[in-house]
Amino acid sequence: SELTVIEVGTQEQPTVEPFDPTADWQIFISNRYNYQIKYPQGATISLFGPVTFPSDDIPFGMTEEQYLDQLMKEYTDQLCVQIEYSLGFIYISAPPNNDDDFFVHCGNPAFGAGETIAKYENVYIGADLYQANGYEFIGNTPTTGETLDLHNEIFWIYLEDGTRIAYGATPRSDATYEDYLMKTKEILLRILKTYEALP
């Protein structure tokens, strides 16, 4: 058999828009620290301002409460932003919170007794690829299918402007590390990829 072209087709092929899995996500915007990040349905956002400071920082004639009020006005409750999703978390710590004296603990781990294994992985923050450094924590009583309070992980990234981002698994007793890897980590990485610095 033979196929013969009678007339060359002129119909344009339809343009297919790339699928964006984050299209219906909500957006958190920090006007104080000039960034935005998207998060999915089911995620929760918590905001934290200054809660502590070195005692020798208090200006003369000012009480601790007055100084804390002054710090809150200056740094706002967006000094530390926490996104919790399923079995994991993301913390975004603004540059003023990342020197030697933290105003508020923001994604700083408190490991129990056990082994910490240094790890690193490449991750996109917005359109830029970074190396995240962190730890996998394994408690002193390792068992198959151990829960996240005995086996979890945390990673950190420092951006050029001094912003510190931490992400990882939430220690809890009702899910395993394998559950986190299968159900949550991919979404955390997708959230991080929506981060955008604002002018």
Side-chain angles (χ1 to χ4, degrees), residues 86-87 148 174-185:
S86 187
L87 305 176
L148 282 169
D174 60 348
T176 66
Y177 183 63
E178 290 75 19
D179 292 332
Y180 157 78
L181 293 177
M182 290 189 299
K183 301 175 183 178
T184 302
K185 185 164 185 178

Side-chain angles (χ1 to χ4, degrees), residues 48-64:
F48 303 94
V51 295
T52 187
F53 49 83
S55 58
D56 55 358
D57 282 358
I58 303 175
F60 178 76
M62 187 176 286
T63 67
E64 291 186 8

Side-chain angles (χ1 to χ4, degrees), residues 35 46 48 80-84 89-93 105-108 154-155 157 163-168 192:
Y35 69 86
S46 301
F48 303 94
C80 175
V81 175
Q82 177 190 31
I83 302 173
E84 292 180 285
F89 63 82
I90 294 171
Y91 282 90
I92 303 172
S93 184
H105 289 286
C106 191
N108 301 309
I154 186 170
F155 289 90
I157 301 157
T163 299
R164 176 181 180 270
I165 298 177
Y167 66 95
L192 292 174

Side-chain angles (χ1 to χ4, degrees), residues 67-125:
Y67 186 49
L68 196 58
D69 286 343
Q70 176 180 305
L71 291 176
M72 180 64 81
K73 289 176 184 176
E74 179 178 356
Y75 296 112
T76 77
D77 64 353
Q78 297 178 16
L79 196 59
C80 175
V81 175
Q82 177 190 31
I83 302 173
E84 292 180 285
Y85 177 77
S86 187
L87 305 176
F89 63 82
I90 294 171
Y91 282 90
I92 303 172
S93 184
N97 194 49
N98 296 325
D99 56 18
D100 293 334
D101 297 312
F102 295 109
F103 289 120
V104 56
H105 289 286
C106 191
N108 301 309
F111 295 120
E115 179 184 10
T116 54
I117 303 167
K119 297 175 69 174
Y120 70 90
E121 61 187 23
N122 294 324
V123 59
Y124 278 97
I125 306 296

Side-chain angles (χ1 to χ4, degrees), residues 129-140:
L129 188 64
Y130 290 84
Q131 178 176 295
N133 298 295
Y135 296 94
E136 179 178 347
F137 169 72
I138 302 174
N140 275 341

